[in-house]
Amino acid sequence: MLLKESGEMYLETIYVLHKKKAAVRSVDIAEHMNYTRASVSRGIGLLKKQGLIEVDKSGFITLTPDGITKAEKIMERHEVLTNIFIHLGIDKETAAEDACRIEHIISDKTFQGIKEYFEKHK
């Protein structure tokens, strides 16, 4: 299943929010991402349709096992790329922003190659 950048951003946000608090609702996501509730509602609906999240009767959102796997993959990319950029002398804020952009478009093969190279040569 191909997930677009916006869907990946929602998954990443849900994952991060779940690390901070047990219960996550659409309003939390909207506030965290600075998006409208309508935008979040649409995004949540798409993630639900793809089987990456579940929403209970009270509106609480949880990641499915597939959602957790995908979110952890996105987070790994973000963290590894951010650390590489910082290691290269980029300030932390710029490194994190650039990693956030790149993590959504880089192929698995290229990311793995960069990760292995960095681990071998750091």
Side-chain angles (χ1 to χ4, degrees), residues 45-109:
L46 293 172
L47 293 177
K48 188 176 174 184
K49 186 181 274 189
Q50 292 181 2
L52 298 170
I53 64 166
E54 293 175 347
V55 182
D56 71 13
K57 294 176 188 175
S58 300
F60 294 110
I61 300 164
T62 55
L63 295 166
T64 64
D66 286 344
I68 291 169
T69 299
K70 183 70 175 170
E72 287 174 343
K73 179 180 173 182
I74 296 163
M75 289 300 300
E76 178 192 26
R77 287 173 175 233
H78 183 87
E79 292 167 1
V80 168
L81 291 170
T82 299
N83 289 333
I84 290 171
F85 298 153
I86 290 170
H87 183 78
L88 294 172
I90 309 301
D91 65 273
K92 192 173 183 176
E93 184 177 329
T94 302
E97 289 173 5
D98 288 347
C100 192
R101 287 187 201 98
I102 293 168
E103 72 194 32
H104 303 290
I105 59 170
I106 193 169
S107 71
D108 290 341
K109 189 174 184 177

Side-chain angles (χ1 to χ4, degrees), residues 1-2 21 24 26 37-38 53 55 60 70 75 89 100 103 110 120-122:
M1 125 187 45
L2 183 61
K21 57 191 205 169
V24 176
S26 292
R37 285 195 205 178
I53 64 166
V55 182
F60 294 110
K70 183 70 175 170
M75 289 300 300
C100 192
E103 72 194 32
T110 299
K120 191 183 289 186
H121 294 90
K122 66 178 176 179

Side-chain angles (χ1 to χ4, degrees), residues 3-50:
L3 190 62
K4 294 184 180 181
E5 179 179 345
S6 61
E8 290 184 354
M9 291 295 294
Y10 283 116
L11 274 182
E12 186 176 12
T13 299
I14 294 165
Y15 185 84
V16 167
L17 290 173
H18 266 292
K19 292 290 184 187
K20 294 178 183 177
K21 57 191 205 169
V24 176
R25 301 178 99 176
S26 292
V27 66
D28 302 316
I29 298 165
E31 288 174 6
H32 184 84
M33 297 179 80
N34 200 26
Y35 286 3
T36 65
R37 285 195 205 178
S39 294
V40 172
S41 179
R42 183 179 181 283
I44 293 303
L46 293 172
L47 293 177
K48 188 176 174 184
K49 186 181 274 189
Q50 292 181 2

